[in-house]
């Protein structure tokens, strides 16, 4: 059975100012998501599932999904702050979504095969989907507790416009993830990639793996996530900005000895649109990839 690509597209992108998931950045009006779908098809994925907000379903179906007809099957699920387990009620003052792992839970009834979860607004590149596709396609039928993450080389994820935040990964001899530490200030200083730790700058190798939210799971992950969400809500329900993130769940499963997460190396170079000023740079990079023959002028 071919793996499924699960695209987290429910965020507004407040810093960018609008629905950046629908912004046209490619030469024929492509969104970043279009490139992810195109690369996923090349990487052997058999279906795309999107999680979105119900209030832009109509635009999403018209502007995005219509392009993929005849290319790959698609499904849509919806993230809502009111979608909570039995016995829990969303606080009246809550406006913020419950986070990326809550978004993953929205697909528990439609994904029954190994799947890869990604952000909608990150450009991950062809090799990223190729290595994840190989890993998921190679899992035996009924595999459980054998997960993966694409570890981008930190030097391939830096910004030309200043510091970035990245989850810096530590791996063991088996290439299994042991910890992810969020470093909020990473940049190149005096020729070396460095992160700030307190008042000190710590240099790391250019090929140090970092997480860009590309995760490979088997369907048992939904069961763990559902159970742990109930525990998490008991402590965080009344905290307005608390979020149930994927790394939180993954770290728990690693620390409990329940699951392993293999860190997959990729040569892909990440880029994305965080701020409006980033937009033109992304347009230029996509144009360069098209000119180099990596992508056709028109994807779909």
């Amino acid at each position: 059975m071919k793996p499924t690509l699960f695209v987290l597209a429910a965020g507004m992108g407040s810093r960018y100012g609008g629905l950046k998931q629908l912004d046209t950045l490619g030469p024929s009006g492509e969104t970043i998501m279009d490139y992810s779908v195109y690369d996923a098809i090349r990487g052997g994925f058999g279906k795309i599932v999107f999680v979105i907000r119900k209030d832009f379903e109509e635009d999403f179906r018209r502007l995005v999904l219509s392009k993929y007809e005849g290319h790959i099957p698609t499904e849509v699920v919806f993230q809502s702050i009111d979608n909570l387990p039995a016995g829990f009620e969303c606080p009246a003052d809550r406006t913020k979504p419950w986070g990326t792992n809550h978004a993953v839970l929205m697909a528990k009834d439609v994904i029954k095969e190994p799947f890869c979860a990604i952000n909608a607004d990150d450009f991950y590149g062809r090799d990223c989907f190729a290595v994840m596709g190989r890993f998921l396609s190679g899992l035996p039928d009924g595999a459980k507790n054998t997960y993966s993450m694409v570890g981008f080389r930190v030097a391939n994820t830096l910004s030309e416009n200043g510091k970035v935040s990245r989850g810096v990964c530590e791996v063991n001899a088996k290439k299994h993830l042991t910890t992810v530490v969020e470093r909020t200030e990473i940049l190149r200083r005096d020729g070396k990639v460095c992160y700030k730790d307190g008042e000190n700058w710590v240099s790391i190798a250019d090929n140090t793996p970092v997480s860009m939210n590309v995760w490979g799971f088997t369907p048992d992950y939904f069961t763990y996530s559902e159970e742990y969400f109930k525990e998490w809500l008991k402590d965080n329900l009344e905290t307005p900005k608390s979020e149930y993130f994927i790394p939180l769940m993954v770290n728990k499963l690693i620390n409990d000895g329940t699951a392993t997460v293999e860190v997959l190396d990729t040569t892909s170079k990440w880029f994305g649109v965080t701020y409006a000023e980033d937009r033109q740079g992304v347009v230029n990079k996509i144009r360069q990839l098209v000119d180099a023959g990596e992508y056709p002028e028109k994807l779909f």
Side-chain angles (χ1 to χ4, degrees):
M1 185 179 289
K2 288 184 174 184
T4 286
L5 183 68
F6 183 50
V7 183
L8 306 175
M12 263 297 289
S14 56
R15 287 179 298 181
Y16 183 56
L19 291 176
K20 62 179 172 178
Q21 292 89 345
L22 302 183
D23 195 3
T24 53
L25 302 166
S28 298
E30 290 87 359
T31 66
I32 284 180
M33 281 188 294
D34 291 338
Y35 288 93
S36 292
V37 170
Y38 186 84
D39 284 333
I41 293 169
R42 291 199 283 190
F45 288 78
K47 181 175 72 175
I48 315 289
V49 177
F50 297 90
V51 57
I52 64 172
R53 290 200 330 274
K54 184 71 177 172
D55 63 353
F56 71 92
E57 178 186 9
E58 190 179 327
D59 282 348
F60 194 84
R61 289 188 182 279
R62 178 173 54 86
L63 297 170
V64 180
L65 294 194
S66 60
K67 296 185 217 180
Y68 310 142
E69 287 178 14
H71 295 282
I72 192 167
T74 60
E75 288 193 57
V76 174
V77 296
F78 304 103
Q79 185 179 22
S80 161
I81 60 172
D82 296 317
N83 192 330
L84 296 177
F88 294 94
E89 192 169 317
C90 184
D93 61 346
R94 178 86 189 193
T95 56
K96 195 173 185 62
W98 291 105
T100 51
N101 213 47
H102 178 255
V104 169
L105 272 174
M106 300 304 100
K108 65 181 175 16
D109 295 328
V110 301
I111 296 179
K112 306 298 181 186
E113 57 283 319
F115 68 100
C116 170
I118 65 165
N119 293 336
D121 47 11
D122 288 310
F123 192 104
Y124 292 114
R126 179 179 186 169
D127 186 66
C128 168
F129 292 96
V131 298
M132 179 59 81
R134 278 197 299 273
F135 178 89
L136 295 175
S137 299
L139 291 173
D141 289 345
K144 291 184 175 182
N145 305 327
T146 307
Y147 307 150
S148 60
M149 184 204 86
V150 175
F152 278 72
R153 301 170 188 178
V154 66
N156 286 341
T157 74
L158 300 179
S159 169
E160 294 157 15
N161 301 319
K163 64 188 180 185
V164 295
S165 296
R166 299 285 179 256
V168 178
C169 302
E170 290 188 16
V171 300
N172 63 19
K174 294 180 178 177
K175 295 188 177 176
H176 289 169
L177 185 67
T178 55
T179 57
V180 180
V181 179
E182 189 69 19
R183 300 294 182 183
T184 56
E185 294 188 46
I186 301 179
L187 43 74
R188 197 175 284 282
R189 284 167 53 92
D190 302 324
K192 293 182 178 179
V193 179
C194 301
Y195 66 80
K196 200 168 189 181
D197 186 12
E199 294 302 310
N200 300 317
W201 288 95
V202 180
S203 65
I204 53 177
D206 278 23
N207 63 352
T208 301
V210 295
S211 169
M212 301 304 298
N213 227 29
V214 181
W215 300 95
F217 298 120
T218 43
D220 49 291
Y221 184 78
F222 293 120
T223 306
Y224 299 128
S225 295
E226 206 162 23
E227 289 307 308
Y228 188 46
F229 190 38
K230 296 170 189 173
E231 295 301 311
W232 182 89
L233 281 169
K234 290 174 186 175
D235 296 328
N236 296 280
L237 184 68
E238 300 298 333
T239 307
K241 294 194 174 180
S242 57
E243 291 186 72
Y244 183 43
F245 291 120
I246 294 171
L248 189 72
M249 183 75 251
V250 169
N251 274 328
K252 175 179 166 49
L253 294 173
I254 291 172
N255 293 334
D256 289 351
T258 302
T260 58
V261 178
E262 185 172 333
V263 178
L264 310 174
D265 181 42
T266 182
T267 56
S268 282
K269 292 186 177 181
W270 170 94
F271 52 88
V273 177
T274 303
Y275 305 100
E277 308 84 271
D278 298 333
R279 186 182 185 282
Q280 190 57 46
V282 171
V283 170
N284 295 344
K285 286 172 181 169
I286 291 174
R287 180 74 258 174
Q288 289 166 7
L289 289 169
V290 172
D291 290 346
E294 187 68 33
Y295 297 96
E297 189 78 22
K298 183 176 174 60
L299 291 184
F300 297 107

